[in-house]
Amino acid sequence: MENRDILKTLGVTKSYDFGRVKALRGVDLKIPIKAFVSLAGPSGSGKTTLLNILGGLDSPDSGEVLLNQVNLAGMNEKERTLIRREKIGFIFQQFNLVPVLTALENVELPLEILRHFTSVTRRQAAMCLLKLVGLEGLERRYPNQMSGGQQQRVAVARALVKKPDIVLADEPTANLDSETGAHIVELMREMRNELGIAFVLSTHDPRVMERTEATFFMKDGKISNDASSSGMA
Amino acid sequence: MTLLHLAWRNLRRNKRRTLLTSIALTIGLIALINSRGMLNGIDQQSLQNLIDYDVAYGKGFAKGYLDTDFPGLDYTFQGADSLARCLSLIKDVTAATPRLEMTGMLIYKGNELPVKVVGVDPLRDKEVFKTLSAVVDGQSLTSDNSAVLVGDLLAGDMSLAVGDMVTVLVRSAPGALNPKFLPVSGIIASGHPKVDQFSVFLPLSTAREMALLPDSATEIAIQNANIRYADRIIKKLRSAYPELEWHTWDDLARDFLAYARLKRMGSGIVISIFALLAAVGVANTMAMAVHERTREIGTLRAMGFSSSQIGKIFIYEGLLIGVISGTFAVIIGSTTISILGIHGISLAMWGDMDIGYPVRDAIYPTIKVSSLIWSFIFGIAISLLASWGAARRAASGEVVRALREGIL
């Protein structure tokens, strides 16, 4: 694993309800380049809040969020949108595919807003990703014509198609049976190996944690341990 | 997959709702097109009837004639025949004709009705008005034949036929009642209710003889090569013949034009209500779409779609509803207008009621291409405006909340 961190937080805090609910209380975190790590913790521990801040969906009250040395914390929504567009991929618990688009079109969608892709290269890239996630032949299917596992594979392909710096997956296996969930985590790991893109997975599931290289445990808005395997944090 | 393409797919997501919204807007636009077509048709017919049978392109009167409610023969002018000949020589004036109008009675077999008695020059009048050409039974007037033409509605009311002898009673200029027993030479059907119901036409020479006013007229009417020249020509006549007061056709038809404007405003209010209802339908559809797709909006925002791109998707959906509705409305509306324009809309249901327009029997709707284009654009504008709120709402919500709670 390379030493350089793709994502780093320094003293990140976030509170809601006019400061009454402190979701994050000074989170320091380092995600190395090409890492495959999980973020674990009980409900309300701040996992999702942290993931949102890491992904530029939300901004911290204080602290720094450095994605490839660029601080997201000081950016406005417009600037964060541009960062998300090019550098961050998301995978959601409920897959969140656009129901009116086919699998292929869903995967193409992130490239639509990246101006430098032609329609041909968009299509080629999407086909290629669908093949990589094992959905060759299902390109024309709509989400409601696919199983949960297949939909999550499309979501993985969609997150990867623009070759982001990092993919953030919020409980990616929570809506899948254990076998399918295991396959999805394995797929993401393969993709990391194949494409060299870092993955951060939030999860409750110990079996998912086992499959990642390191797990950050969160409790009461803080990382309660250093990463559970060497070389992290 | 452009945003427009995505918007189109979204519309197809809930076909029934899109269809109902589009139908509501289409009906509103068809109502707009048909209403404009009817008003255009009736306005055109009315103006044509006014020009052909009443006001010509312009008229000259003795000063004060128009300011008096019942001018009678107190406001006539002399030398009308020579003036008509002179006017015909003026550039762009194609014809001029004097008329002598007075109130009188038409009496036939014990029935008597008040009428407007109009003395016309049988030769010149044809070049300015269409009255003498509107004979549907019998013969028109000639200079050497003392007879009357009556409107078909008047003839029906009095059970008159060609060849019947009627008494025309007028009050002469000195004030004496002067009856004349004349044959009905023809029945006219002009399409102008006041002409067909209340007017009796006879040769100018006969009218002058009855009024005891040789070489006089109450008005002189002109016809020009083009209606657009009317203003210029009347201006010229005002300075050349200041002893008369001159008015253009639109000046003389101002009551009708004001009435038509009022009707248009009334129709505009009704159409605005239709448009408002259609807009509420579109706005409701778009609001529901935003509500249902909140999590999807959050996902797109997370992927890097900007607020404006999200807003555009909903604006495009509104645009597409507007385009679809506008297209159908233009096709159906113009087809309806074309069919009604050929067959007409019968006014029989109104019976003898005065509908305020100088038309009778039927209205023939007509619509300009520009009006169709305007209606199409109006439909799109309504739809876009109605989508605006939903688009703003979709674009402005918090990404995290949209993803987590499905609330914008």
Side-chain angles (χ1 to χ4, degrees):
Chain A
M1 198 167 291
E2 293 175 28
N3 287 330
R4 195 159 70 82
D5 297 321
I6 190 75
L7 187 62
K8 191 161 106 176
T9 66
L10 293 168
V12 167
T13 67
K14 180 75 181 177
S15 59
Y16 296 108
D17 213 4
F18 301 103
R20 281 193 285 271
V21 179
K22 295 193 187 310
L24 299 178
R25 301 163 185 255
V27 174
D28 296 323
L29 181 71
K30 288 178 182 174
I31 311 287
I33 203 162
K34 298 181 188 173
F36 191 74
V37 300
S38 53
L39 195 58
S43 292
S45 61
K47 298 190 300 293
T48 301
T49 303
L50 180 59
L51 216 57
N52 288 338
I53 287 172
L54 295 180
L57 296 174
D58 206 353
S59 55
D61 295 338
S62 63
E64 290 183 359
V65 180
L66 300 167
L67 177 68
N68 245 340
Q69 321 297 328
V70 178
N71 189 5
L72 303 186
M75 291 182 174
N76 60 29
E77 172 57 27
K78 207 170 178 178
E79 291 165 331
R80 280 188 278 127
T81 297
L82 292 176
I83 293 288
R84 289 200 301 268
R85 187 178 296 176
E86 294 192 6
K87 301 194 181 299
I88 304 170
F90 290 93
I91 297 169
F92 302 98
Q93 180 180 334
Q94 290 167 322
F95 327 131
N96 290 19
L97 299 180
V98 179
V100 293
L101 302 182
T102 62
L104 184 65
E105 288 165 340
N106 263 290
V107 178
E108 273 187 71
L109 200 54
L111 303 181
E112 286 290 338
I113 44 177
L114 293 173
R115 306 257 178 242
H116 48 275
F117 284 91
T118 65
S119 59
V120 175
T121 51
R122 275 201 302 266
R123 185 129 299 200
Q124 282 172 347
M127 293 286 273
C128 191
L129 255 301
L130 281 174
K131 191 174 177 182
L132 270 178
V133 298
L135 291 177
E136 199 176 14
L138 302 183
E139 297 90 349
R140 306 280 167 203
R141 288 208 184 168
Y142 286 90
N144 63 1
Q145 297 168 330
M146 291 189 284
S147 67
Q150 287 170 333
Q151 286 187 56
Q152 198 61 305
R153 281 170 186 267
V154 176
V156 170
R158 183 177 68 179
L160 293 169
V161 72
K162 62 189 174 190
K163 295 205 174 116
D165 290 346
I166 190 165
V167 171
L168 304 172
D170 188 10
E171 310 259 8
T173 61
N175 269 11
L176 302 172
D177 61 69
S178 55
E179 192 184 338
T180 311
H183 284 145
I184 288 294
V185 175
E186 201 47 49
L187 171 72
M188 288 194 274
R189 196 182 170 100
E190 280 169 23
M191 290 299 107
R192 190 282 309 263
N193 295 340
E194 194 91 23
L195 304 170
I197 295 168
F199 276 76
V200 179
L201 289 68
S202 83
T203 185
H204 286 102
D205 188 345
R207 286 167 299 187
V208 174
M209 293 176 221
E210 281 169 17
R211 287 183 161 81
T212 57
E213 292 164 348
T215 300
F216 295 97
F217 288 100
M218 287 202 72
K219 193 179 174 190
D220 299 331
K222 281 184 171 175
I223 303 285
S224 64
N225 69 314
D226 279 348
S228 64
S229 78
S230 60
M232 294 283 166
Chain B
M1 176 59 57
T2 60
L3 294 181
L4 191 63
H5 195 181
L6 184 57
W8 173 243
R9 292 278 186 90
N10 283 328
L11 285 182
R12 290 174 56 194
R13 181 190 300 217
N14 197 328
K15 285 181 188 143
R16 184 183 292 180
R17 192 165 66 201
T18 303
L19 188 68
L20 287 174
T21 310
S22 300
I23 286 173
L25 188 55
T26 304
I27 289 171
L29 291 174
I30 290 172
L32 171 69
I33 290 169
N34 283 343
S35 155
R36 287 176 73 92
M38 297 253 285
L39 287 174
N40 273 347
I42 201 165
D43 282 357
Q44 274 186 20
Q45 275 175 262
S46 300
L47 278 175
Q48 202 58 55
N49 280 350
L50 280 170
I51 288 167
D52 290 345
Y53 299 102
D54 192 354
V55 300
Y57 282 7
K59 280 182 176 179
F61 303 91
K63 283 192 184 294
Y65 182 85
L66 289 183
D67 301 330
T68 312
D69 288 339
F70 302 103
L73 295 172
D74 296 336
Y75 294 89
T76 57
F77 55 93
Q78 295 262 306
D81 295 342
S82 57
L83 178 59
R85 280 194 293 274
C86 288
L87 292 182
S88 305
L89 300 174
I90 292 175
K91 184 173 177 278
D92 293 330
V93 175
T94 53
T97 187
R99 279 185 165 192
L100 182 67
E101 282 191 13
M102 47 201 157
T103 52
M105 299 290 287
L106 184 68
I107 303 162
Y108 177 67
K109 288 184 179 172
N111 289 330
E112 56 181 66
L113 284 173
V115 290
K116 185 162 81 172
V117 178
V118 187
V120 298
D121 180 331
L123 293 176
R124 290 184 175 278
D125 208 83
K126 274 182 191 166
E127 294 168 15
V128 177
F129 294 105
K130 291 187 177 168
T131 318
L132 301 187
S133 312
V135 175
V136 291
D137 190 12
Q139 289 184 333
S140 192
L141 298 177
T142 57
S143 304
D144 51 0
N145 181 15
S146 233
V148 294
L149 290 178
V150 294
D152 59 342
L153 298 176
L154 181 60
D157 287 350
M158 297 189 80
S159 305
L160 281 174
V162 173
D164 287 342
M165 294 299 290
V166 293
T167 302
V168 179
L169 178 66
V170 297
R171 189 178 290 278
S172 66
L177 290 173
N178 197 354
K180 188 116 184 157
F181 199 48
L182 296 165
V184 175
S185 75
I187 309 287
I188 55 173
S190 68
H192 189 320
K194 284 183 183 164
V195 171
D196 297 341
Q197 181 94 58
F198 303 112
S199 301
V200 171
F201 295 88
L202 67 175
L204 187 56
S205 54
T206 309
R208 282 170 173 166
E209 189 187 318
M210 292 172 74
L212 303 177
L213 284 171
D215 196 29
S216 290
T218 50
E219 65 186 47
I220 187 154
I222 62 161
Q223 168 87 309
N224 8 303
N226 192 315
I227 197 164
R228 282 179 299 181
Y229 306 154
D231 273 355
R232 183 164 51 80
I233 289 166
I234 289 295
K235 209 174 275 178
K236 199 189 284 181
L237 294 178
R238 279 183 192 136
S239 62
Y241 301 98
E243 64 278 14
L244 297 181
E245 59 175 85
W246 295 92
H247 296 277
T248 55
W249 67 272
D250 50 350
D251 197 7
L252 295 168
R254 64 177 177 272
D255 287 348
F256 161 72
L257 293 173
Y259 179 75
R261 259 197 304 276
L262 202 67
K263 281 272 185 187
R264 279 183 179 276
M265 275 173 60
S267 152
I269 291 168
V270 174
I271 293 304
S272 302
I273 293 168
F274 266 104
L276 189 68
L277 289 175
V280 167
V282 176
N284 186 46
T285 295
M286 299 311 292
M288 284 177 73
V290 170
H291 180 72
E292 285 169 2
R293 280 151 47 194
T294 302
R295 210 179 291 275
E296 190 178 309
I297 291 166
T299 306
L300 294 176
R301 292 287 302 279
M303 280 162 54
F305 277 69
S306 65
S307 299
S308 65
Q309 285 171 321
I310 298 291
K312 269 183 199 167
I313 295 172
F314 289 90
I315 289 288
Y316 286 159
E317 287 177 30
L319 175 76
L320 288 169
I321 288 176
V323 169
I324 292 165
S325 306
T327 305
F328 278 109
V330 165
I331 292 169
I332 297 168
S334 57
T335 307
T336 317
I337 294 287
S338 302
I339 293 167
L340 293 175
I342 294 166
H343 300 289
I345 300 166
S346 172
L347 294 176
M349 63 176 160
W350 299 101
D352 292 336
M353 206 174 90
D354 183 3
I355 60 165
Y357 285 94
V359 292
R360 49 173 279 216
D361 299 335
I363 300 171
Y364 295 89
T366 171
I367 196 153
K368 294 177 189 162
V369 173
S370 60
S371 284
L372 289 174
I373 294 170
W374 185 90
S375 303
F376 181 74
I377 292 169
F378 180 71
I380 292 173
I382 284 280
S383 193
L384 283 178
L385 275 175
S387 312
W388 190 258
R392 269 181 65 95
R393 194 167 140 73
S396 62
E398 280 181 44
V399 187
V400 170
R401 209 159 168 232
L403 280 168
R404 189 179 59 223
E405 300 169 27
I407 299 169
L408 281 168

